[in-house]
Amino acid sequence: MEMDDALKALSLARKHDASGNKDAALKWARKSVAIYRTEEAVTLVSRLETVGTQGSSLNDQPSTSTPMKETYTSIKTETTSSSSDNTKAEYTQTQIEIVRRVKRAGGDFYSVLQIEKTASDAEVKKSYKKLALQLHPDKNRAPGADEAFKLVSKAFTVLSDKDKRAAYDRFGGDPDSRFGASSATTSGHPFSGFGDGARMRPGMGAEIDPEDLFNMFFGGGMGRGGAAHARRAPGQRQGQNNQNSFWFQVLPILVLLAFSLLSYLPSLFTVQDPDFRWRPTTMHRAHRTTFQRGVSYYVDPVSFARHPYVTTTSSSRRGGSLQRKENSSPELLAFERRVEESWMKELYRQCEHAQDYKRRRLADAQGFFGFGADRAKIAKIQAEVYESCEQLQRLFHIRV
């Protein structure tokens, strides 16, 4: 693996050398030497430091490029299967198969990452890390590897986000394309591996570049080869590289934490509604009725009496119940409207359930295309009246 990365660094150094960019050529040549010392890299560093670059002329390229290419090809050939017959390809059959499998999976993000639908967040991250290393353009030169790498990154950004994953499981397809980038939320992704509970709120996010996502996980550079270079760098330079890498990894966490704190600021200035129930309980024993429609509900008398909505209102207890006077605060009246809306939804749910049950029984009583129909039973079922449906029509003028 180190030899592989050293050869890639040397190849980049040669390109910059040919284009006349001495600083870049020297940087990559030294990096190649630091990762894995080769005679070609040492020679190139020496020439760049003493003579300079060879310029854009291709005729001046040192003759060592051919042996280096053969060395790189031979290393690649050793990792291929025995059926490759010593072909000088820059990718292996295994790499080709990985690319083909990912592209065949297409929009099935679970198949792309080779995980089950019940996979945990940790399993999603583990699978992404494995495939990202196998498909990164610096590691895999097989045709279509770049497209497969982007597909793996897309699958991770969707499945590592709680809300996007739920939307994907329900509707299929890309949630960002379906609902637009402004509605996308990123709960933890792609930084979920760096801190629990960090979230980006709706409207924050454009889609993250696959290369940036890879660098967030692996610290940038050339994967393990970059880490090896950092370990081999001498003295103060090594410490500086480690410090830069540390801040590069920590900065996204700090940014996300700041956004998370900002997202919670509105809740610090809002008051939650009092807790209530439709039926009395040990705690919720104080009966109340809404002002507009007279919907009954129950609250905890102690906590309700201390609620900001109530402390601004003149309230009194009568017979174990909290009764409102005409000077109720606007906040309390708005709360009771929300109570009525909740009751309307509950009635609608009950009525729908009752009507569905009624339809099934009518279908059974009507027989098969009218044969064997029980007329008396049909009439009895049709005459049934359901309290939830009656209340829904009486209180809210909704007929189901």
Side-chain angles (χ1 to χ4, degrees), residues 325-395:
K325 293 187 178 180
E326 293 301 325
N327 59 344
S328 295
S329 68
E331 293 83 2
L332 185 57
L333 294 176
F335 160 67
E336 289 198 341
R337 285 194 293 270
R338 291 191 288 273
V339 171
E340 291 174 346
E341 290 175 2
S342 298
W343 182 238
M344 178 188 68
K345 294 176 182 178
E346 175 63 18
L347 288 175
Y348 191 88
R349 184 190 66 80
Q350 294 180 12
C351 183
E352 276 281 297
H353 181 74
Q355 292 287 2
D356 184 59
Y357 178 60
K358 182 177 183 178
R359 284 190 288 268
R360 291 200 305 268
R361 291 162 58 210
L362 279 173
D364 292 340
Q366 288 171 352
F368 183 73
F369 291 102
F371 295 102
D374 189 340
R375 303 299 177 186
K377 187 176 182 180
I378 292 174
K380 182 179 179 180
I381 295 173
Q382 289 176 337
E384 289 178 354
V385 176
Y386 304 106
E387 177 60 24
S388 56
C389 300
E390 293 296 310
Q391 279 197 47
L392 194 62
Q393 184 174 1
R394 183 175 66 254
L395 295 177

Side-chain angles (χ1 to χ4, degrees), residues 199-343:
R199 293 179 65 89
M200 292 179 68
R201 309 309 298 175
M204 283 181 56
E207 188 171 335
I208 294 181
D209 184 84
E211 189 66 33
D212 293 338
L213 177 62
F214 182 87
N215 290 336
M216 289 169 193
F217 268 96
F218 301 101
M222 295 178 64
R224 299 182 210 174
H229 167 62
R231 287 196 301 271
R232 299 172 194 270
Q236 183 178 2
R237 184 176 178 181
Q238 179 182 10
Q240 183 66 30
N241 288 343
N242 289 340
Q243 185 178 7
N244 292 340
S245 177
F246 169 78
W247 284 111
F248 180 81
Q249 295 183 23
V250 170
L251 184 60
I253 304 175
L254 298 178
V255 173
L256 285 176
L257 287 176
F259 276 110
S260 298
L261 291 175
L262 289 174
S263 68
Y264 286 108
L265 283 179
S267 63
L268 298 177
F269 303 99
T270 58
V271 180
Q272 291 186 347
D273 286 342
D275 188 27
F276 66 93
R277 298 287 188 275
W278 302 124
R279 295 180 179 83
T281 66
T282 305
M283 295 289 296
H284 307 81
R285 60 183 183 276
H287 176 255
R288 290 180 59 84
T289 56
T290 60
F291 180 74
Q292 185 175 0
R293 292 184 171 88
V295 173
S296 295
Y297 65 100
Y298 295 85
V299 296
D300 176 7
V302 177
S303 62
F304 188 82
R306 296 175 181 174
H307 197 278
Y309 293 170
V310 181
T311 54
T312 57
T313 303
S314 176
S315 301
S316 62
R317 294 187 64 167
R318 297 180 183 174
S321 300
L322 290 173
Q323 301 294 335
R324 181 195 55 257
K325 293 187 178 180
E326 293 301 325
N327 59 344
S328 295
S329 68
E331 293 83 2
L332 185 57
L333 294 176
F335 160 67
E336 289 198 341
R337 285 194 293 270
R338 291 191 288 273
V339 171
E340 291 174 346
E341 290 175 2
S342 298
W343 182 238

Side-chain angles (χ1 to χ4, degrees), residues 39-322:
E39 187 64 30
E40 292 81 358
V42 172
T43 303
L44 180 58
V45 170
S46 177
R47 178 172 63 75
L48 288 171
E49 289 177 341
T50 56
V51 179
T53 62
Q54 64 178 352
S56 58
S57 174
L58 298 178
N59 296 327
D60 296 334
Q61 276 193 308
S63 59
T64 57
S65 61
T66 301
M68 278 300 298
K69 183 176 180 181
E70 293 175 354
T71 303
Y72 178 74
T73 305
S74 66
I75 292 173
K76 283 291 183 181
T77 306
E78 290 176 3
T79 62
T80 60
S81 61
S82 58
S83 61
S84 60
D85 295 329
N86 297 323
T87 347
K88 295 183 179 180
E90 292 188 350
Y91 48 85
T92 67
Q93 185 63 31
T94 302
Q95 290 176 324
I96 295 176
E97 291 301 326
I98 294 172
V99 172
R100 288 176 178 173
R101 185 198 63 75
V102 171
K103 294 179 72 174
R104 279 198 302 266
D108 187 347
F109 293 155
Y110 290 103
S111 295
V112 168
L113 296 183
Q114 288 187 304
I115 56 176
E116 300 293 333
K117 286 192 175 182
T118 56
S120 64
D121 290 342
E123 291 173 323
V124 173
K125 295 173 199 169
K126 180 179 179 181
S127 179
Y128 166 75
K129 289 180 180 179
K130 177 182 177 182
L131 290 171
L133 284 173
Q134 293 174 337
L135 291 169
H136 191 275
D138 287 344
K139 304 290 183 182
N140 193 331
R141 302 292 180 87
D146 185 60
E147 182 182 349
F149 176 68
K150 293 178 181 178
L151 191 56
V152 167
S153 301
K154 183 62 184 178
F156 172 73
T157 59
V158 171
L159 298 184
S160 63
D161 179 275
K162 180 180 178 182
D163 298 324
K164 287 185 179 180
R165 184 172 179 175
Y168 173 75
D169 289 342
R170 185 174 180 183
F171 302 107
D174 182 359
D176 290 334
S177 300
R178 186 180 182 91
F179 301 109
S182 64
S183 66
T185 62
T186 53
S187 59
H189 105 296
F191 309 103
S192 55
F194 300 95
D196 295 332
R199 293 179 65 89
M200 292 179 68
R201 309 309 298 175
M204 283 181 56
E207 188 171 335
I208 294 181
D209 184 84
E211 189 66 33
D212 293 338
L213 177 62
F214 182 87
N215 290 336
M216 289 169 193
F217 268 96
F218 301 101
M222 295 178 64
R224 299 182 210 174
H229 167 62
R231 287 196 301 271
R232 299 172 194 270
Q236 183 178 2
R237 184 176 178 181
Q238 179 182 10
Q240 183 66 30
N241 288 343
N242 289 340
Q243 185 178 7
N244 292 340
S245 177
F246 169 78
W247 284 111
F248 180 81
Q249 295 183 23
V250 170
L251 184 60
I253 304 175
L254 298 178
V255 173
L256 285 176
L257 287 176
F259 276 110
S260 298
L261 291 175
L262 289 174
S263 68
Y264 286 108
L265 283 179
S267 63
L268 298 177
F269 303 99
T270 58
V271 180
Q272 291 186 347
D273 286 342
D275 188 27
F276 66 93
R277 298 287 188 275
W278 302 124
R279 295 180 179 83
T281 66
T282 305
M283 295 289 296
H284 307 81
R285 60 183 183 276
H287 176 255
R288 290 180 59 84
T289 56
T290 60
F291 180 74
Q292 185 175 0
R293 292 184 171 88
V295 173
S296 295
Y297 65 100
Y298 295 85
V299 296
D300 176 7
V302 177
S303 62
F304 188 82
R306 296 175 181 174
H307 197 278
Y309 293 170
V310 181
T311 54
T312 57
T313 303
S314 176
S315 301
S316 62
R317 294 187 64 167
R318 297 180 183 174
S321 300
L322 290 173

